[in-house]
PDB file of all heavy atoms in Angstrom:
ATOM      1  N   PHE A  92     -17.078   6.078  -5.846  1.00 71.00           N
ATOM      2  CA  PHE A  92     -17.678   7.144  -5.036  1.00 71.00           C
ATOM      3  C   PHE A  92     -16.619   8.173  -4.619  1.00 71.00           C
ATOM      4  O   PHE A  92     -16.847   9.392  -4.665  1.00 71.00           O
ATOM      5  CB  PHE A  92     -18.359   6.543  -3.798  1.00 71.00           C
ATOM      6  CG  PHE A  92     -19.008   7.570  -2.925  1.00 71.00           C
ATOM      7  CD1 PHE A  92     -20.250   8.090  -3.240  1.00 71.00           C
ATOM      8  CD2 PHE A  92     -18.363   8.034  -1.774  1.00 71.00           C
ATOM      9  CE1 PHE A  92     -20.844   9.045  -2.437  1.00 71.00           C
ATOM     10  CE2 PHE A  92     -18.946   8.986  -0.965  1.00 71.00           C
ATOM     11  CZ  PHE A  92     -20.200   9.501  -1.285  1.00 71.00           C
ATOM     12  N   PRO A 134       1.497  40.188   0.567  1.00 93.00           N
ATOM     13  CA  PRO A 134       2.797  39.664   1.039  1.00 93.00           C
ATOM     14  C   PRO A 134       2.655  38.811   2.303  1.00 93.00           C
ATOM     15  O   PRO A 134       3.465  37.904   2.528  1.00 93.00           O
ATOM     16  CB  PRO A 134       3.616  40.930   1.321  1.00 93.00           C
ATOM     17  CG  PRO A 134       2.607  41.996   1.565  1.00 93.00           C
ATOM     18  CD  PRO A 134       1.441  41.656   0.683  1.00 93.00           C
ATOM     19  N   GLU A 150       5.428  17.071   9.005  1.00 73.00           N
ATOM     20  CA  GLU A 150       4.064  16.553   9.123  1.00 73.00           C
ATOM     21  C   GLU A 150       3.557  15.897   7.840  1.00 73.00           C
ATOM     22  O   GLU A 150       2.726  14.990   7.887  1.00 73.00           O
ATOM     23  CB  GLU A 150       3.101  17.696   9.510  1.00 73.00           C
ATOM     24  CG  GLU A 150       3.513  18.456  10.759  1.00 73.00           C
ATOM     25  CD  GLU A 150       3.518  17.580  11.984  1.00 73.00           C
ATOM     26  OE1 GLU A 150       2.750  16.596  12.014  1.00 73.00           O
ATOM     27  OE2 GLU A 150       4.283  17.866  12.933  1.00 73.00           O
ATOM     28  N   ALA A 205     -28.762  51.839  -6.772  1.00 83.00           N
ATOM     29  CA  ALA A 205     -28.045  50.998  -7.729  1.00 83.00           C
ATOM     30  C   ALA A 205     -28.969  50.581  -8.876  1.00 83.00           C
ATOM     31  O   ALA A 205     -30.193  50.509  -8.714  1.00 83.00           O
ATOM     32  CB  ALA A 205     -27.495  49.756  -7.026  1.00 83.00           C
ATOM     33  N   SER A 239     -18.157  43.517  22.368  1.00 50.00           N
ATOM     34  CA  SER A 239     -17.750  44.297  21.204  1.00 50.00           C
ATOM     35  C   SER A 239     -16.830  43.476  20.313  1.00 50.00           C
ATOM     36  O   SER A 239     -16.954  43.469  19.083  1.00 50.00           O
ATOM     37  CB  SER A 239     -17.024  45.567  21.660  1.00 50.00           C
ATOM     38  OG  SER A 239     -17.871  46.361  22.449  1.00 50.00           O
ATOM     39  N   VAL A 260      -6.207  30.799  -4.293  1.00 89.00           N
ATOM     40  CA  VAL A 260      -6.322  30.382  -5.690  1.00 89.00           C
ATOM     41  C   VAL A 260      -5.164  30.960  -6.505  1.00 89.00           C
ATOM     42  O   VAL A 260      -4.609  30.293  -7.393  1.00 89.00           O
ATOM     43  CB  VAL A 260      -7.673  30.831  -6.272  1.00 89.00           C
ATOM     44  CG1 VAL A 260      -7.742  30.529  -7.769  1.00 89.00           C
ATOM     45  CG2 VAL A 260      -8.811  30.122  -5.555  1.00 89.00           C
ATOM     46  N   GLY A 266      -1.431  24.449 -13.644  1.00 73.00           N
ATOM     47  CA  GLY A 266      -1.463  23.025 -13.952  1.00 73.00           C
ATOM     48  C   GLY A 266      -2.131  22.230 -12.853  1.00 73.00           C
ATOM     49  O   GLY A 266      -2.824  21.236 -13.112  1.00 73.00           O
ATOM     50  N   PRO A 274     -10.307  13.157 -13.202  1.00 77.00           N
ATOM     51  CA  PRO A 274     -10.431  11.993 -12.318  1.00 77.00           C
ATOM     52  C   PRO A 274      -9.139  11.826 -11.526  1.00 77.00           C
ATOM     53  O   PRO A 274      -8.081  12.333 -11.901  1.00 77.00           O
ATOM     54  CB  PRO A 274     -10.648  10.833 -13.285  1.00 77.00           C
ATOM     55  CG  PRO A 274     -11.089  11.460 -14.565  1.00 77.00           C
ATOM     56  CD  PRO A 274     -10.428  12.792 -14.629  1.00 77.00           C
ATOM     57  N   PRO A 299     -22.468  28.357 -12.154  1.00 92.00           N
ATOM     58  CA  PRO A 299     -22.475  29.802 -12.412  1.00 92.00           C
ATOM     59  C   PRO A 299     -23.668  30.235 -13.253  1.00 92.00           C
ATOM     60  O   PRO A 299     -24.229  31.318 -13.037  1.00 92.00           O
ATOM     61  CB  PRO A 299     -21.159  30.038 -13.158  1.00 92.00           C
ATOM     62  CG  PRO A 299     -20.279  28.916 -12.742  1.00 92.00           C
ATOM     63  CD  PRO A 299     -21.198  27.741 -12.588  1.00 92.00           C
ATOM     64  N   SER A 311     -35.345  40.922 -11.360  1.00 87.00           N
ATOM     65  CA  SER A 311     -36.529  41.344 -12.117  1.00 87.00           C
ATOM     66  C   SER A 311     -37.777  41.290 -11.248  1.00 87.00           C
ATOM     67  O   SER A 311     -38.617  42.198 -11.274  1.00 87.00           O
ATOM     68  CB  SER A 311     -36.697  40.448 -13.347  1.00 87.00           C
ATOM     69  OG  SER A 311     -37.875  40.769 -14.040  1.00 87.00           O
ATOM     70  N   GLU A 356     -37.102  63.522  31.313  1.00 88.00           N
ATOM     71  CA  GLU A 356     -35.938  63.844  32.150  1.00 88.00           C
ATOM     72  C   GLU A 356     -36.011  65.289  32.627  1.00 88.00           C
ATOM     73  O   GLU A 356     -35.708  65.597  33.789  1.00 88.00           O
ATOM     74  CB  GLU A 356     -34.648  63.616  31.348  1.00 88.00           C
ATOM     75  CG  GLU A 356     -33.375  63.978  32.087  1.00 88.00           C
ATOM     76  CD  GLU A 356     -33.128  63.122  33.322  1.00 88.00           C
ATOM     77  OE1 GLU A 356     -33.811  62.080  33.472  1.00 88.00           O
ATOM     78  OE2 GLU A 356     -32.283  63.506  34.143  1.00 88.00           O
ATOM     79  N   SER A 411     -51.969 114.153  58.687  1.00 70.00           N
ATOM     80  CA  SER A 411     -51.271 112.973  58.138  1.00 70.00           C
ATOM     81  C   SER A 411     -51.439 111.750  59.032  1.00 70.00           C
ATOM     82  O   SER A 411     -50.546 110.905  59.103  1.00 70.00           O
ATOM     83  CB  SER A 411     -49.779 113.299  57.966  1.00 70.00           C
ATOM     84  OG  SER A 411     -49.207 113.659  59.215  1.00 70.00           O
ATOM     85  N   VAL A 497     -45.621  88.852  45.421  1.00 54.00           N
ATOM     86  CA  VAL A 497     -44.359  89.582  45.541  1.00 54.00           C
ATOM     87  C   VAL A 497     -43.544  89.055  46.709  1.00 54.00           C
ATOM     88  O   VAL A 497     -43.119  89.808  47.576  1.00 54.00           O
ATOM     89  CB  VAL A 497     -44.597  91.099  45.678  1.00 54.00           C
ATOM     90  CG1 VAL A 497     -43.337  91.865  45.274  1.00 54.00           C
ATOM     91  CG2 VAL A 497     -45.758  91.558  44.838  1.00 54.00           C
ATOM     92  N   THR A 501     -39.047  92.478  50.307  1.00 53.00           N
ATOM     93  CA  THR A 501     -39.485  92.823  51.667  1.00 53.00           C
ATOM     94  C   THR A 501     -40.663  93.775  51.623  1.00 53.00           C
ATOM     95  O   THR A 501     -41.614  93.680  52.396  1.00 53.00           O
ATOM     96  CB  THR A 501     -38.319  93.468  52.445  1.00 53.00           C
ATOM     97  OG1 THR A 501     -37.238  92.552  52.487  1.00 53.00           O
ATOM     98  CG2 THR A 501     -38.747  93.823  53.858  1.00 53.00           C
ATOM     99  N   ALA A 506     -46.199  95.017  52.490  1.00 73.00           N
ATOM    100  CA  ALA A 506     -47.442  95.580  51.958  1.00 73.00           C
ATOM    101  C   ALA A 506     -48.585  94.598  52.123  1.00 73.00           C
ATOM    102  O   ALA A 506     -49.728  94.985  52.409  1.00 73.00           O
ATOM    103  CB  ALA A 506     -47.248  95.939  50.485  1.00 73.00           C
ATOM    104  N   PHE A 517     -59.118  97.166  64.571  1.00 70.00           N
ATOM    105  CA  PHE A 517     -58.308  98.100  65.361  1.00 70.00           C
ATOM    106  C   PHE A 517     -57.736  99.198  64.482  1.00 70.00           C
ATOM    107  O   PHE A 517     -57.569 100.341  64.930  1.00 70.00           O
ATOM    108  CB  PHE A 517     -57.181  97.360  66.094  1.00 70.00           C
ATOM    109  CG  PHE A 517     -56.030  96.955  65.217  1.00 70.00           C
ATOM    110  CD1 PHE A 517     -54.944  97.797  65.067  1.00 70.00           C
ATOM    111  CD2 PHE A 517     -56.028  95.734  64.569  1.00 70.00           C
ATOM    112  CE1 PHE A 517     -53.881  97.429  64.267  1.00 70.00           C
ATOM    113  CE2 PHE A 517     -54.973  95.374  63.780  1.00 70.00           C
ATOM    114  CZ  PHE A 517     -53.881  96.209  63.617  1.00 70.00           C
TER     115      PHE A 517
END
Side-chain angles (χ1 to χ4, degrees):
F92 181 80
E150 306 297 332
S239 299
V260 174
S311 176
E356 177 64 13
S411 59
V497 201
T501 301
F517 76 92

